[in-house]
Amino acid sequence: MDTSEMMDVVIVGAGPVGLTLACELARRDVRVRIIDRADTYPAGTRARGVRARTQEVFEDIGVLGRLIERAEPPRPTRFYDAQGAVVREAVMYDAPAVPGAPYPGSLMVGQQFTEAALRELLASLGARVELGGELVGLAQDRDHVTASVRFDGQRHHIRSRYLVGCDGGGSTVRKQAGIDFLGETLERQRMLFGNLSVDGLDDSVAHMWATGPGGMLTLAPMPRSGTWFFTAPLPPDGQEPSSVSLETFADIFAQRVGLPGVRFRDAVYLSVYQVNIRMVDRYRKGRVFLAGDAAHVHTPAGGQGMNTGVQDAYNLGWKLAHVLRGAPEPLLDTYEEERLPIAAHVLASTTARGRFWAGGDAGRVSERIVGAFQGQDPFSDVSQLSITYRGGSLARDLDEAIGIRAGDRAPDAHCAEPATGERVRLFDLFRGTHFTLLVFGPKPAPRVGRADVHTYRIVRPGLPHGDGERVLLDPEGQAHDLYGVDGDGLVLIRPDGYVTLAGGDWDGRSVSGHLERTMASPA
């Protein structure tokens, strides 16, 4: 059966990555279909750490409030040595404040809630997930992609301008497109993940047995979902369990911890996770793109997988929408240019972090783990706030007169309305699908003449400004400080919150010329 209407974009895979991309496209009026081979929506905690930068993404698209409602309350983690003695107790996700970052810490939210919030948003935008759709074939030519999808035993042919695989580490899209998945499978590293009920254990804290035979075992209460989250490596020299059951988890707990009086029951989700360290050598082949685990998989150390994938989607979504509206096709090449190095760094840092956590006594291991989530990780910034695209095709510095550089994440700051003194966040100005131009100082703003560029002048109290301009006061100098501006400054911010043009000296064509050369669709 052939569909009569050609879509703009088809997304394969309806996890957090595919749903984020679908929402990004739908809110830009892109015709999108999102399919998933599962017959029902998955349950279970799975990826639960929503890091600082991902919270900013979710605030922009409009689901952060729902996630905060379902987030687990902060609670300490209690670390034990091999003899069962407590060696440390600390709140792991209590990160120190970061200037320009409204959410420095992490939200602990079960993945089922993250996906539900994104599905609800997607429905409000006029699209929905199509379950039970298995991709069985893929073909493309110069103008479109044809996906062969089996629904209820019948094959449908769905045509679209572009197709994006967000279908996980075993991605059918990646295989059908013929994109290599380079790296290694760590045959001796397999982990148990599950949600279940636990009796006989203090539920006011999370528990982590950081050393001992087999490696780190954790049990964390998840009262929002009425379960506990269990993680533990399987013995490296053991056999793959013929089936994963409560008994499997209980046996591992008895071998590793041996704490009497603890009983497991009422499993919601149980799985074995095979550790792979792999990534693609390209994010795109013709009109087919990859995002999330379909493009990169790694150890779970540091909780970077879902967060990296969501930001893949956030980077790609606005670019696809702009090209579909007439922006130059090479804009899509910047997706791979910007995100491939990020994936390579995540693979390297998570591998190094996992090895670092595995060595030493319980006290030292606990110190390393807590430090990673409190901004003291030696391998990378797990908040992902420091990701930059400096030096890329979309990053242009006019000069070095201001501190912020093209490619950097644009920080938040508090300003004020001149007439009322009402507090205004820069992130409130950025929210949406437009570009944002910030002009500091008295120098005339460049001519733009585009509805998709919102311009604001940021001034210190008492300084003059032009009539008719949208002006915000910077009474405490916070915006000037965070953007590194002493006098004149110009900062053009992309729809995904990264600076694309920056400097202290410009002319009337600086912004419009940059947009015409690189990314903007016709006015």
Side-chain angles (χ1 to χ4, degrees):
M1 181 188 302
D2 292 328
T3 57
S4 58
E5 180 184 14
M6 187 166 86
M7 304 302 295
D8 291 324
V9 180
V10 168
I11 299 169
V12 180
V17 178
L19 287 165
T20 298
L21 179 59
C23 291
E24 277 290 274
L25 294 171
R27 71 173 177 155
R28 291 172 166 85
D29 298 321
V30 172
R31 294 171 303 166
V32 60
R33 287 182 70 173
I34 177 169
I35 64 173
D36 196 286
R37 67 186 301 171
D39 293 321
T40 59
Y41 298 127
T45 296
R46 294 171 290 150
R48 64 181 181 139
V50 181
R51 306 295 177 227
R53 177 58 187 157
T54 309
Q55 290 177 62
E56 295 177 357
V57 172
F58 285 159
E59 179 187 30
D60 176 48
I61 66 176
V63 297
L64 183 61
R66 287 290 310 277
L67 299 189
I68 291 173
E69 291 175 0
R70 302 311 300 258
E72 300 297 336
R75 65 186 68 236
T77 296
R78 187 174 293 166
F79 294 86
Y80 302 86
D81 64 17
Q83 288 71 47
V86 177
V87 297
R88 184 186 182 94
E89 190 169 300
V91 178
M92 289 173 55
Y93 303 103
D94 186 20
V98 177
Y103 314 109
S106 298
L107 283 180
M108 291 294 105
V109 186
Q111 185 173 325
Q112 74 271 33
F113 300 131
T114 301
E115 292 176 359
L118 289 166
R119 287 195 302 267
E120 182 179 308
L121 172 63
L122 185 62
S124 74
L125 295 168
R128 63 180 179 84
V129 174
E130 299 176 57
L131 293 173
E134 181 185 7
L135 181 73
V136 294
L138 189 64
Q140 61 174 313
D141 57 28
R142 190 181 69 175
D143 298 319
H144 68 272
V145 185
T146 300
S148 297
V149 182
R150 185 182 293 124
F151 287 98
D152 296 325
Q154 293 188 336
R155 182 173 293 205
H156 298 244
H157 300 295
I158 306 172
R159 296 199 319 151
S160 61
R161 294 278 303 278
Y162 298 98
L163 183 142
V164 186
C166 304
D167 50 342
S171 172
T172 302
V173 172
R174 186 186 64 241
K175 295 169 185 174
Q176 289 281 342
I179 298 176
D180 291 333
F181 206 33
L182 308 176
E184 60 178 327
T185 299
L186 304 184
E187 301 290 352
R188 291 168 57 84
Q189 291 191 25
R190 297 160 301 145
M191 298 188 68
L192 291 176
F193 286 92
N195 285 103
L196 37 77
S197 295
V198 178
D199 297 324
L201 202 58
D202 183 357
D203 63 3
S204 68
V205 298
H207 304 264
M208 182 174 289
W209 290 266
T211 61
M216 188 186 307
L217 186 151
T218 65
L219 270 168
M222 304 287 288
R224 299 290 191 196
S225 58
T227 68
W228 289 67
F229 188 46
F230 180 111
T231 70
L234 285 165
D237 54 353
Q239 296 294 316
E240 180 80 19
S242 57
S243 63
V244 183
S245 63
L246 273 176
E247 289 69 27
T248 309
F249 283 66
D251 288 346
I252 290 293
F253 184 81
Q255 296 166 19
R256 290 283 317 284
V257 178
L259 190 64
V262 175
R263 187 172 71 90
F264 299 157
R265 57 180 173 82
D266 301 334
V268 174
Y269 154 77
L270 304 174
S271 71
V272 175
Y273 171 73
Q274 174 67 67
V275 177
N276 284 272
I277 301 173
R278 295 182 179 274
M279 63 177 288
V280 295
D281 57 354
R282 60 173 71 181
Y283 267 53
R284 175 188 188 184
K285 190 167 185 180
R287 292 182 171 271
V288 176
F289 296 82
L290 300 174
D293 285 357
H296 44 77
V297 293
H298 45 81
T299 77
Q304 300 295 282
M306 179 188 71
N307 294 276
T308 302
V310 164
Q311 291 174 66
D312 286 344
Y314 195 53
N315 184 288
L316 178 60
W318 71 270
K319 295 175 181 178
L320 276 172
H322 271 69
V323 169
L324 287 164
R325 289 200 301 266
E329 177 77 18
L331 176 60
L332 295 177
D333 294 332
T334 68
Y335 170 57
E336 177 182 306
E337 175 192 304
E338 292 181 342
R339 295 305 298 173
L340 191 65
I342 301 301
H345 176 72
V346 169
L347 260 68
S349 63
T350 52
T351 301
R353 184 182 298 112
R355 291 171 179 162
F356 185 59
W357 287 0
D361 58 36
R364 188 168 300 175
V365 171
S366 67
E367 181 179 356
R368 293 168 179 170
I369 294 172
V370 173
F373 292 100
Q374 294 185 348
Q376 303 159 15
D377 185 72
F379 303 103
S380 71
D381 169 20
V382 298
S383 75
Q384 300 197 354
L385 291 170
S386 59
I387 288 173
T388 182
Y389 304 131
R390 288 189 185 190
S393 300
L394 301 185
R396 183 187 175 207
D397 289 306
L398 296 167
D399 50 45
E400 298 183 359
I402 66 175
I404 201 164
R405 289 288 181 267
D408 290 350
R409 164 189 161 274
D412 196 11
H414 289 95
C415 295
E417 290 283 356
T420 64
E422 182 181 354
R423 196 174 175 91
V424 177
R425 293 173 59 207
L426 291 187
F427 273 17
D428 291 335
L429 310 183
F430 302 164
R431 188 178 301 120
T433 62
H434 56 273
F435 293 82
T436 305
L437 178 63
L438 303 181
V439 180
F440 296 81
K443 184 175 179 177
R447 296 184 299 274
V448 180
R450 300 182 54 91
D452 64 345
V453 179
H454 297 184
T455 302
Y456 301 88
R457 186 176 293 279
I458 311 296
V459 301
R460 297 182 188 274
L463 292 181
H465 53 81
D467 292 336
E469 293 185 315
R470 287 183 284 186
V471 175
L472 291 173
L473 300 180
D474 189 15
E476 300 171 3
Q478 189 181 63
H480 283 76
D481 290 345
L482 288 170
Y483 285 78
V485 180
D486 290 327
D488 293 325
L490 178 145
V491 182
L492 180 64
I493 299 155
R494 303 171 0 178
D496 61 351
Y498 286 87
V499 177
T500 181
L501 183 70
D505 188 22
W506 62 87
D507 61 32
R509 288 278 300 162
S510 293
V511 172
S512 58
H514 175 68
L515 290 174
E516 289 168 7
R517 285 190 301 271
T518 56
M519 69 193 84
S521 52

